[in-house]
Amino acid sequence: MNNEEKISRQPFPNSTKVYIDGEIHPIKVAMREITLSDTKLSKGGVEKNPAVTVYDTSGPYTDPNIEIDVRKGLPRIREQWIKDRGDVEELTEITSNYGKERLNDEKLNDLRFEYLHQPMRAKKGANVSQLYYAKQGIITPEMEYIAIRENQRIEQLNEQTKAMQCQHGGNSFGANTPKSKITPEFVRSEVARGRAIIPNNINHPESEPMIVGRNFLVKINANIGNSAVTSSIEEEVEKAVWACRWGADTIMDLSTGKNIHETREWIIRNSPVPIGTVPIYQALEKVNGIAEDLTWEVFRDTLIEQAEQGVSYFTIHAGVLLRYIHLTANRVTGIVSRGGSIMAKWCLFHHKENFLYTHFEEICEIMKQYDVAFSLGDGLRPGSIADANDAAQFAELETLGELTKVAWKHDVQVFIEGPGHVPMHMIKENMDKQLEHCDEAPFYTLGPLTTDIAPGYDHITSAIGAAMIGWYGCAMLCYVTPKEHLGLPNKKDVKDGVITYKIAAHAADLAKGHPGSQYRDNALSKARFEFRWEDQFNLSLDPDTAREFHDETLPADGAKVAHFCSMCGPKFCSMKISQEIRDVAEAEKGMQEKSEEFVEMGKEIYS
Amino acid sequence: MNNEEKISRQPFPNSTKVYIDGEIHPIKVAMREITLSDTKLSKGGVEKNPAVTVYDTSGPYTDPNIEIDVRKGLPRIREQWIKDRGDVEELTEITSNYGKERLNDEKLNDLRFEYLHQPMRAKKGANVSQLYYAKQGIITPEMEYIAIRENQRIEQLNEQTKAMQCQHGGNSFGANTPKSKITPEFVRSEVARGRAIIPNNINHPESEPMIVGRNFLVKINANIGNSAVTSSIEEEVEKAVWACRWGADTIMDLSTGKNIHETREWIIRNSPVPIGTVPIYQALEKVNGIAEDLTWEVFRDTLIEQAEQGVSYFTIHAGVLLRYIHLTANRVTGIVSRGGSIMAKWCLFHHKENFLYTHFEEICEIMKQYDVAFSLGDGLRPGSIADANDAAQFAELETLGELTKVAWKHDVQVFIEGPGHVPMHMIKENMDKQLEHCDEAPFYTLGPLTTDIAPGYDHITSAIGAAMIGWYGCAMLCYVTPKEHLGLPNKKDVKDGVITYKIAAHAADLAKGHPGSQYRDNALSKARFEFRWEDQFNLSLDPDTAREFHDETLPADGAKVAHFCSMCGPKFCSMKISQEIRDVAEAEKGMQEKSEEFVEMGKEIYS
C-alpha cells in the first residue's frame, strides 16, 4: 500500500507550510506562504516582493515534514485542548446499537479503521459546544486559532501593502486594503451571538478549527460520496483530501450503500476539515429504503453513531411540516431535496407531524454532548427558477427560524441551509428573509443556480448566485459541480467545483471588504503587470492549470521570463507600452521637480 | 476542399430551422424549434409538450436545406432591402488605397475571396444608418426582423405557458411569464432614442439583423483572431461559425499579421452575425508596429477599407486624452487596453491630443456612409481589482459621453465599451455612471472580472460580473475564455467562453424579466422533473455536453428513459417521491371534491 500514489500531497509550487503561534493558547496555526521573485526595476536594480501568506485548507498533506498514514489517521491536534477543559469523558464502548453491531461483525475486520479511538462525550449534564463556552465568556483555543487563521498574518499584509504603495507612489489599492485584525474576542462574541458557528465535534480532534459566519471569510463546502463501484479506502480518503487541497472548508459525506459506517470512519480520521452528513440517508438505509418505516429510534441511534465517529454538523430536515407539503403540489419541480422528500413521504403516509420536528429538543440534547452543529435542512427548497421564493420555501424558513431559537436555548450551534435555484433579482430577498426569520444565524446555500438551461455548466450558473448571496451575507456556499443534474462527479469535476466556488467566495469577500482579502489580487496583478509569470501562476487558485494554459501556447521556458505574452506578441503589448508610459511619467515628474527646484532657487536668489 | 469536414453545420438534436414571415416587410426570420417528447401521466395516457422556439445565432449553417460554399459566401439576405431604400450606390472600385493595393497584388490571388462584390456606399449627402431611418420614423425590414426575433414566437409561448399552468393546476411560473410583445415600432423608437443600436453595415448583407440595447435580450460577443501558425481559410471561417453555433451574437475579428485584409473578407462573407474590429490594430501594422508613426491618414484609409468590406462596428479609442494619461501612472496595472496604450504612447510621444478625438467628426462622416457603429473603446479600463472605478476610467467615460452626443448629431449609432476588472460592489456604480454620462447609449463590457486570483478560470470570474452588469442594464457582454491572461483560446476555449456568457446573458434576461425569457427554463425543468432526459439535453445550451456527462455515469440507452438517475439511484430519488406526493395530493383533492359534492347533495336533499 503506497500512500504516495493515491493521496495527493505535493506542496504547492514555491509554497511552504508555516505555523503561527498563538498568544493565549499553545497553538500552531497552519498557513501557506508563497515566495515571490524580485521585480526588475526599469531604472536598474531589483525590488523584493514580500511573500504572500494565504488561508490553507489542505491540512498536513502539503507539509512534507509530516508523515501521512491513512491507517493511523491525522495527528489529533485538538485532543489535548478538549481534554484540558475537563468536561468530557472517554467512553469505554460506543453508544449506538448499530455501531456496536458493526464493530462486532468479524466480516468487516478488513474494512474497519485499524486504530480506533474510544469516543468522547460530555460528562453528565455538561455542554461541550463552542456556543456554550462563548456564552460563558471563554475564549477557547479553537477561537484563537480561527482569529489567527482568518487574519492571514495581517500585520505582514499591511507591511506589504505599504511597500507596494511606496513603489507605485500612492495608495491605489482601493477601499479594501487590510484594515483591522480579527481578534479572538471578536470570534467569541460572534459565536455567542449565534451569528457564527465553529463546527468541530470533540470526536474529530484531527480537524483544524474554522468558522462559518458572515463577518468572516466566506467558506465553501464540497460534497463527496462513495460510488456504486466499490473503491479502495485510499480512494475514498483521496476524494476528501483532493477537495481540501483545492480549498474546501468543510466536506459533506453523502455516501450511501452498505459500508458507509466504515467509510465514514476512514474519512473523518484523515480529514483536516469538519465533516457534515445527512443522517436521514443512513437511517433510511437501515429501514431498507422504505421512508414510511423510519422511526425516531432508528434516527436517534444514527445520530449517536455518527456523533461518536466525529461528524461536526448534521443536516436535519425538521422544518418540513405536514401542513407545508401541499404547498409544493403545484410546483414545476415539486420537492427536490432528498431529505425533504423522504420526510414528506413519511408525514403523508402516517398523516403525522415530522418526527424530526416533534423530537427536536431530544436531538438538541444529543448534539450538545458532542458539539455537533445543526445544519437545518431546507427540504422544500426550490428545484427550478419557476419555484424560487415561493410559499413552501418561505413557510419552511420560518419554521427553521423557530427551531434556531430552540437550539440556541440548548446552546447548540446552528446554521441554516438555503436554495437552490433562484434568479438573480430574487436572491437578496432570500438572504434578507433568512437573516430576519433566523435571527442572523449563518446561512449556507447550494448555489443558488441563476438559470436552469445549462446542465453540464451548473458550477457556473450557480457560482453567479453563490457570489452574490455571499456578498449579501451568506456564510458558506455548498459547491455544485459540472455534473449536477446529470451524473456523479469525478476528480476533475470535484476540482472544477471547488475552484469555481473559491472564486465565488473570494469575489464575495472582496465585495464585503473582508480585511486583507484583496491582498492576493493585488500581488497577482502586480506580478502579471511585471511579467513575473511564475509568480502569477503560483499566486493563482490553481497554479497547475494556469501554467498548463500558458505553456500550451508558449511552452519554452524563456517565455516565462519574457516581457510579453502570446496574446498580443512583443509589438502590441499594452502592458509593455504601459510601463514605458510610467517611465515617461516618472521622467517628466523628475523634470518637473527639477524645474520646481529651479523656481525655488530663483525665488531665493531674487527675493 | 470538403466543407463538411471543416465547417460545423449539423443541426442541433431534435431541432428544426423555422422561418417566421414578417407582416410589414417580406422577410423570413430564422429561429430554432426544439421538438419535445410527450409526458407520461401517472394516471395513464400522455400529454403533449409543445415545441420550444429559441433565439438562434447559428445562421444558415444549421439549416440542411441551404447549401454552404465558403468560396461564395452566405446568401445576401439584406441586399435587396438595402437597395430598395434607394439611397446607396454600388461603387465601381473600392475606395481605400490599401484595399486597392491588396486587390492588385497578384501574389495574393490564391488567398483572395473568389466572388468579391462591389462595395456599396451612401449616395452623396445620404445617411444610411438605422439611427437616421429611425429618427425619420421609418420602420426598416431590419427593425421588423429584430422585433420578431426577440419575441421568439411569444404567442406560442403564451399558449405553452397556459398549457403548463393547466397541467399543474395553477400559475407557478413566477413573475417572468411572457407578457407583452416587442413591436417593430418599439425597436424603431429605441434606436431613435440611441438606447439601442443595430450593427449592420450595408456591405455585410449576409448578416441577420440583431439589436444591442438594454430593453432587449442581453447579447454576447466572441473575439476571434488568426494565430501565428497560418491556418487555412476554412479554419478561419470555422472559428466564426463555431462561435455563432454556440450563441455568439457578434464576432470581433482581432486578427493581426500580414493577411488580415483577406482573412477578414472571408470571415465577413461567411458570417451570419455582425463583425466588429479595432481598426487601430491594422493601422499600426501598416506603420510597422511603431505607435508614434501612426497618422490620421493611415487610420482614415483603414476605416474606409474595413467599412467597404462590411465591418459593422469599430472600436475607436477616442477618449484616451493626453491629460488623462498621467492618471494611470500610479495604477497597479497601468493601461491594459491595447488600443488605449497605443494611443497613449502616440499622445505622449507627440505631446499632442489623440487624433481619434480631434478627427472625430470626420470619422462620423465615414461611418454614416456605410452604417458602421461606434464602439467607443475604453482605453483606460482597469486591468485589476485595485484599479477599478478610478479617476482615469471615469474621466475617459465622461469624454465617451461627450463623443456619443457628437456621433448622434451625425445620426451615427454608438455604444460604449466598459471594464474589465471590477469587484462586485463597484459594478453598479460603473453601470450607473455610464447611463448618466452617455445618456443611455448601450453599454458593452468585457466581463467584468470580479477577482484577479484565478487565471485559467477567468471565464468564470468574469461571468459573475457579466451577469450582474447585464441585470443592471448592460446591453452586450464581451466573452472571456479560460485562456484569458495566459494564451490563445482553442476551439474548446471558444465554446466554453460562449456558453459561459450565454449563461450570464440569460441569467440577466431572467432577472430583468425579458418577456418569454423564463420559458426555456420552465420547459427544461419540467422535462427534468418528468425524467424526459432527451428533452432535458436538447433544451440545454449545450446538448452534446449534457448528454456526454449523463452517459459517463449511466451509458445505457435505457437509462435515458429511466425514472431515476445516477445521483441518488432508484430508492432515494426525490423527484420520484415528489411525484408520488403530487399523486397523493391529487387523490386527496379528488376525495375532498367528492366529499364536497356529497355535502352539496346533502344540502339539496335536506333543504
Side-chain angles (χ1 to χ4, degrees):
Chain A
M1 186 170 61
N2 187 348
N3 287 334
E4 293 301 317
E5 282 170 25
K6 292 202 172 148
I7 309 292
S8 301
R9 56 164 314 190
Q10 314 86 316
F12 284 91
N14 264 34
S15 296
T16 325
K17 201 85 167 186
V18 294
Y19 296 90
I20 315 300
D21 289 326
E23 289 176 12
I24 309 172
H25 298 284
I27 56 176
K28 291 192 171 300
V29 181
M31 295 181 189
R32 173 155 73 99
E33 192 176 80
I34 307 167
T35 309
L36 304 181
S37 59
D38 296 340
T39 298
K40 284 178 190 139
L41 299 175
S42 47
K43 55 190 171 198
V46 297
E47 191 154 49
K48 295 268 170 226
N49 287 296
V52 172
T53 311
V54 297
Y55 195 99
D56 186 4
T57 54
S58 65
Y61 296 95
T62 51
D63 186 341
N65 299 322
I66 296 180
E67 198 199 337
I68 299 288
D69 182 345
V70 292
R71 292 167 314 146
K72 292 183 182 161
L74 295 180
R76 295 164 71 83
I77 57 166
R78 296 197 299 115
E79 190 165 41
Q80 203 52 50
W81 313 350
I82 294 161
K83 289 185 172 166
D84 284 351
R85 288 192 276 259
D87 51 5
V88 301
E89 54 183 355
E90 212 163 81
L91 301 178
T92 51
E93 61 167 2
I94 55 180
T95 312
S96 107
N97 294 326
Y98 184 82
K100 283 179 196 160
E101 242 174 65
R102 299 296 293 187
L103 187 61
N104 298 329
D105 188 341
E106 286 187 8
K107 292 194 299 294
L108 300 173
N109 286 353
D110 287 348
L111 265 180
R112 199 173 291 119
F113 184 76
E114 289 178 58
Y115 296 83
L116 279 174
H117 296 263
Q118 288 312 105
M120 292 188 277
R121 191 175 63 190
K123 285 181 180 163
K124 205 168 165 60
N127 183 333
V128 296
S129 85
Q130 295 286 319
L131 174 54
Y132 174 80
Y133 302 137
K135 281 192 181 168
Q136 307 301 311
I138 299 166
I139 294 174
T140 62
E142 286 87 346
M143 295 171 196
E144 191 190 13
Y145 192 105
I146 286 162
I148 295 169
R149 193 176 194 190
E150 291 273 327
N151 284 326
Q152 302 165 73
R153 297 177 90 178
I154 200 168
E155 309 87 343
Q156 191 198 33
L157 299 189
N158 275 322
E159 261 172 57
Q160 291 167 345
T161 307
K162 220 172 113 194
M164 285 172 77
Q165 285 166 355
C166 290
Q167 202 166 316
H168 294 314
N171 180 356
S172 51
F173 295 107
N176 293 327
T177 40
K179 281 173 290 235
S180 54
K181 245 178 122 159
I182 286 172
T183 62
E185 166 54 25
F186 181 71
V187 173
R188 188 206 60 75
S189 69
E190 288 289 293
V191 172
R193 172 62 184 79
R195 202 150 46 203
I197 73 150
I198 301 174
N200 62 342
N201 187 320
I202 53 170
N203 287 308
H204 187 192
E206 300 90 346
S207 69
E208 297 171 357
M210 55 81 67
I211 196 161
V212 179
R214 76 179 198 282
N215 292 320
F216 300 93
L217 292 166
V218 175
K219 303 304 186 297
I220 69 165
N221 171 71
N223 295 331
I224 61 167
N226 63 344
S227 39
V229 189
T230 45
S231 40
S232 73
I233 294 298
E234 285 82 7
E235 278 169 321
E236 288 306 320
V237 171
E238 167 64 3
K239 281 181 197 168
V241 172
W242 180 248
C244 294
R245 178 176 179 82
W246 297 111
D249 293 289
T250 74
I251 298 277
M252 286 196 80
D253 176 13
L254 305 182
S255 296
T256 53
K258 55 189 165 109
N259 296 322
I260 47 177
H261 177 88
E262 288 70 29
T263 307
R264 191 186 306 121
E265 187 75 35
W266 284 98
I267 291 172
I268 294 173
R269 297 287 74 80
N270 287 286
S271 172
V273 305
I275 301 292
T277 60
V278 189
I280 201 82
Y281 295 174
Q282 193 186 0
L284 187 67
E285 299 228 0
K286 292 177 182 172
V287 296
N288 304 312
I290 300 163
E292 46 272 37
D293 289 354
L294 281 166
T295 62
W296 160 241
E297 289 67 30
V298 168
F299 187 76
R300 183 179 175 279
D301 193 69
T302 307
L303 289 185
I304 295 172
E305 171 201 346
Q306 298 195 4
E308 293 191 355
Q309 287 189 301
V311 174
S312 288
Y313 61 91
F314 288 150
T315 295
I316 295 188
H317 299 91
V320 179
L321 300 191
L322 183 58
R323 64 179 182 276
Y324 299 157
I325 298 170
H326 80 278
L327 296 175
T328 67
N330 290 333
R331 279 179 161 184
V332 171
T333 48
I335 300 177
V336 295
S337 148
R338 260 200 275 176
S341 56
I342 292 165
M343 292 320 300
K345 202 175 175 186
W346 189 94
C347 292
L348 280 185
F349 185 88
H350 297 284
H351 220 273
K352 269 193 188 165
E353 194 50 279
N354 183 337
F355 66 80
L356 303 174
Y357 180 81
T358 55
H359 289 271
F360 195 75
E361 301 220 35
E362 289 160 84
I363 300 175
C364 292
E365 292 295 345
I366 297 167
M367 309 285 261
K368 65 185 170 194
Q369 295 178 56
Y370 306 95
D371 196 9
V372 183
F374 277 108
S375 183
L376 290 176
D378 55 335
L380 305 182
R381 68 165 180 269
S384 57
I385 293 295
D387 296 342
N389 293 25
D390 72 349
Q393 193 213 328
F394 287 142
E396 181 186 29
L397 186 61
E398 280 189 45
T399 299
L400 300 185
E402 174 200 327
L403 295 171
T404 298
K405 278 145 216 164
V406 177
W408 283 349
K409 194 183 69 185
H410 289 267
D411 291 345
V412 173
Q413 306 191 90
V414 191
F415 56 126
I416 312 291
E417 296 187 12
H421 295 241
V422 187
M424 283 195 286
H425 64 300
M426 291 183 171
I427 292 175
K428 186 142 198 314
E429 184 190 17
N430 228 290
M431 187 68 229
D432 291 346
K433 276 211 190 331
Q434 190 274 338
L435 289 175
E436 182 197 332
H437 292 317
C438 303
D439 199 11
E440 304 188 53
F443 205 21
Y444 165 37
T445 57
L446 178 71
L449 284 72
T450 53
T451 165
D452 303 339
I453 66 168
Y457 299 82
D458 279 331
H459 58 314
I460 300 175
T461 63
S462 66
I464 295 167
M468 289 176 68
I469 205 160
W471 172 28
Y472 296 151
C474 184
M476 187 154 82
L477 309 169
C478 182
Y479 88 164
V480 170
T481 77
K483 287 280 166 61
E484 183 78 15
H485 297 123
L486 297 170
L488 293 171
N490 59 27
K491 229 173 143 176
K492 182 181 182 309
D493 297 319
V494 167
K495 181 176 169 186
D496 280 348
V498 170
I499 299 274
T500 301
Y501 270 67
K502 279 315 249 196
I503 290 169
H506 184 75
D509 287 334
L510 286 179
K512 284 165 60 179
H514 186 282
S517 62
Q518 197 183 316
Y519 186 74
R520 190 172 181 178
D521 296 76
N522 294 347
L524 190 145
S525 290
K526 183 171 183 283
R528 179 177 285 156
F529 189 69
E530 293 169 358
F531 297 99
R532 289 184 281 116
W533 287 100
E534 291 289 350
D535 289 349
Q536 189 188 158
F537 305 151
N538 297 340
L539 284 163
S540 72
L541 287 180
D542 177 4
D544 302 349
T545 298
R547 184 173 284 104
E548 183 194 316
F549 280 5
H550 174 270
D551 291 358
E552 238 179 69
T553 319
L554 287 177
D557 266 355
K560 288 199 250 332
V561 292
H563 269 212
F564 61 89
C565 60
S566 60
M567 282 81 79
C568 313
K571 255 187 208 173
F572 266 148
C573 177
S574 64
M575 297 275 205
K576 197 160 157 252
I577 293 178
S578 196
Q579 286 190 322
E580 290 173 24
I581 289 166
R582 188 177 281 177
D583 294 343
V584 170
E586 234 168 72
E588 282 188 353
K589 196 177 146 209
M591 283 193 295
Q592 206 186 329
E593 275 165 12
K594 274 264 174 303
S595 90
E596 277 166 15
E597 268 175 44
F598 286 129
V599 172
E600 288 300 314
M601 276 166 62
K603 272 188 197 158
E604 274 175 33
I605 293 169
Y606 298 104
S607 66
Chain B
M1 186 169 63
N2 187 348
N3 288 333
E4 293 302 316
E5 283 170 23
K6 293 199 171 151
I7 309 293
S8 301
R9 57 164 314 190
Q10 314 86 316
F12 284 91
N14 264 34
S15 296
T16 326
K17 201 85 166 185
V18 294
Y19 296 91
I20 315 300
D21 291 326
E23 288 176 11
I24 309 172
H25 297 283
I27 56 175
K28 289 189 173 301
V29 181
M31 294 181 188
R32 173 155 73 99
E33 193 176 80
I34 307 167
T35 309
L36 304 181
S37 59
D38 297 340
T39 297
K40 284 178 193 140
L41 299 176
S42 48
K43 56 190 170 197
V46 297
E47 191 154 49
K48 295 270 168 223
N49 286 296
V52 172
T53 311
V54 297
Y55 195 100
D56 186 4
T57 54
S58 65
Y61 296 94
T62 50
D63 186 342
N65 299 320
I66 296 180
E67 198 199 336
I68 300 287
D69 182 345
V70 291
R71 292 166 314 144
K72 291 181 183 163
L74 295 180
R76 295 164 70 83
I77 57 165
R78 295 196 302 115
E79 190 166 43
Q80 202 53 49
W81 313 351
I82 294 161
K83 289 185 171 167
D84 285 350
R85 289 192 275 257
D87 52 5
V88 300
E89 55 184 355
E90 212 163 80
L91 301 177
T92 51
E93 59 165 4
I94 55 177
T95 311
S96 105
N97 293 326
Y98 183 81
K100 283 178 195 161
E101 241 174 65
R102 300 295 293 188
L103 187 61
N104 298 328
D105 188 341
E106 286 186 8
K107 292 195 299 294
L108 300 172
N109 285 353
D110 287 349
L111 264 181
R112 198 172 293 120
F113 184 75
E114 289 177 60
Y115 297 82
L116 278 174
H117 297 263
Q118 290 311 107
M120 293 187 278
R121 189 175 64 191
K123 286 179 180 166
K124 206 170 165 57
N127 183 332
V128 297
S129 84
Q130 295 285 320
L131 175 53
Y132 174 80
Y133 303 137
K135 281 192 180 168
Q136 307 301 309
I138 298 166
I139 294 173
T140 61
E142 285 87 347
M143 295 171 196
E144 191 190 12
Y145 192 106
I146 285 161
I148 295 170
R149 193 176 193 189
E150 290 274 326
N151 283 326
Q152 302 166 77
R153 298 176 90 178
I154 201 170
E155 307 89 344
Q156 191 200 30
L157 299 190
N158 275 323
E159 261 173 58
Q160 292 167 346
T161 307
K162 221 172 111 195
M164 285 173 75
Q165 285 166 356
C166 290
Q167 203 167 314
H168 294 311
N171 180 356
S172 52
F173 295 107
N176 293 326
T177 41
K179 281 172 290 233
S180 55
K181 246 177 122 158
I182 286 171
T183 62
E185 168 53 24
F186 181 71
V187 173
R188 188 206 61 74
S189 69
E190 287 290 294
V191 172
R193 172 62 184 79
R195 202 150 44 204
I197 71 148
I198 301 174
N200 61 343
N201 187 320
I202 54 170
N203 288 309
H204 187 193
E206 300 90 347
S207 70
E208 297 171 356
M210 54 80 67
I211 197 161
V212 178
R214 77 178 198 282
N215 291 319
F216 300 92
L217 292 166
V218 175
K219 302 305 186 298
I220 69 164
N221 172 71
N223 295 331
I224 60 167
N226 62 346
S227 39
V229 189
T230 44
S231 41
S232 73
I233 293 300
E234 286 81 8
E235 279 169 320
E236 288 307 319
V237 171
E238 169 63 3
K239 281 181 195 168
V241 172
W242 181 248
C244 294
R245 178 177 179 83
W246 297 110
D249 293 289
T250 73
I251 298 278
M252 286 197 80
D253 176 13
L254 305 181
S255 297
T256 53
K258 57 190 165 108
N259 296 323
I260 46 177
H261 177 87
E262 288 70 28
T263 307
R264 191 187 305 122
E265 186 77 34
W266 284 98
I267 291 172
I268 295 173
R269 296 288 73 80
N270 287 287
S271 171
V273 305
I275 301 292
T277 60
V278 189
I280 201 81
Y281 294 173
Q282 192 185 1
L284 187 67
E285 299 228 0
K286 290 177 184 174
V287 296
N288 303 310
I290 300 162
E292 46 271 38
D293 288 355
L294 281 166
T295 62
W296 159 241
E297 289 68 30
V298 167
F299 187 76
R300 184 179 175 279
D301 194 68
T302 307
L303 289 185
I304 296 172
E305 172 201 344
Q306 297 195 4
E308 292 190 355
Q309 287 188 303
V311 174
S312 288
Y313 61 91
F314 289 150
T315 295
I316 295 188
H317 299 92
V320 179
L321 300 191
L322 183 58
R323 65 178 181 276
Y324 299 157
I325 298 171
H326 80 278
L327 296 175
T328 67
N330 289 333
R331 278 179 162 183
V332 171
T333 48
I335 300 178
V336 294
S337 148
R338 260 200 275 176
S341 57
I342 292 164
M343 292 320 300
K345 200 174 177 189
W346 188 93
C347 292
L348 280 184
F349 184 89
H350 296 286
H351 219 274
K352 269 191 189 167
E353 193 51 278
N354 183 339
F355 66 81
L356 303 173
Y357 180 81
T358 56
H359 289 273
F360 195 75
E361 301 221 35
E362 289 160 85
I363 300 175
C364 292
E365 292 295 342
I366 296 166
M367 309 284 260
K368 64 186 171 191
Q369 295 178 56
Y370 306 95
D371 196 8
V372 182
F374 277 108
S375 183
L376 290 177
D378 56 336
L380 304 181
R381 68 166 180 267
S384 57
I385 292 296
D387 296 342
N389 293 23
D390 72 350
Q393 193 213 329
F394 287 142
E396 182 186 29
L397 186 60
E398 281 189 44
T399 300
L400 300 185
E402 174 201 326
L403 295 171
T404 299
K405 279 144 214 164
V406 177
W408 283 348
K409 194 182 71 185
H410 289 267
D411 291 344
V412 172
Q413 304 191 93
V414 191
F415 56 124
I416 313 291
E417 295 187 11
H421 294 240
V422 186
M424 283 194 287
H425 63 300
M426 292 183 170
I427 292 175
K428 187 142 197 310
E429 184 190 19
N430 229 290
M431 186 70 228
D432 291 345
K433 277 212 189 332
Q434 189 274 339
L435 290 174
E436 182 197 333
H437 293 316
C438 303
D439 198 12
E440 304 188 53
F443 205 20
Y444 165 36
T445 57
L446 178 71
L449 284 72
T450 53
T451 165
D452 303 338
I453 67 168
Y457 300 82
D458 279 330
H459 58 313
I460 299 174
T461 63
S462 66
I464 296 167
M468 289 177 67
I469 205 161
W471 172 29
Y472 296 152
C474 184
M476 186 152 85
L477 310 169
C478 183
Y479 88 164
V480 170
T481 77
K483 288 278 167 64
E484 185 77 15
H485 297 124
L486 297 170
L488 295 171
N490 59 27
K491 231 173 141 177
K492 181 180 183 311
D493 297 319
V494 168
K495 182 177 168 185
D496 281 348
V498 169
I499 299 276
T500 301
Y501 270 67
K502 279 314 250 196
I503 289 169
H506 186 74
D509 287 335
L510 286 179
K512 285 164 61 179
H514 186 282
S517 61
Q518 197 183 317
Y519 187 74
R520 190 172 180 176
D521 297 75
N522 293 348
L524 191 146
S525 290
K526 185 172 182 280
R528 178 177 286 156
F529 189 68
E530 292 169 358
F531 297 100
R532 288 184 281 116
W533 287 100
E534 290 289 349
D535 289 349
Q536 188 189 160
F537 305 152
N538 296 340
L539 283 163
S540 73
L541 287 180
D542 178 3
D544 302 349
T545 297
R547 186 173 283 102
E548 184 194 315
F549 281 5
H550 174 270
D551 291 0
E552 238 179 70
T553 318
L554 287 176
D557 267 354
K560 288 197 241 353
V561 293
H563 270 211
F564 62 89
C565 60
S566 59
M567 281 80 79
C568 314
K571 256 188 209 170
F572 266 149
C573 179
S574 64
M575 297 274 205
K576 198 160 156 254
I577 294 179
S578 196
Q579 286 189 322
E580 291 172 23
I581 289 167
R582 188 177 283 178
D583 293 344
V584 170
E586 234 169 72
E588 283 188 354
K589 197 178 148 209
M591 283 192 295
Q592 205 185 331
E593 275 165 13
K594 273 265 176 303
S595 89
E596 277 165 17
E597 267 175 46
F598 288 129
V599 173
E600 288 300 312
M601 276 165 63
K603 272 187 198 162
E604 272 173 36
I605 292 167
Y606 298 104
S607 65

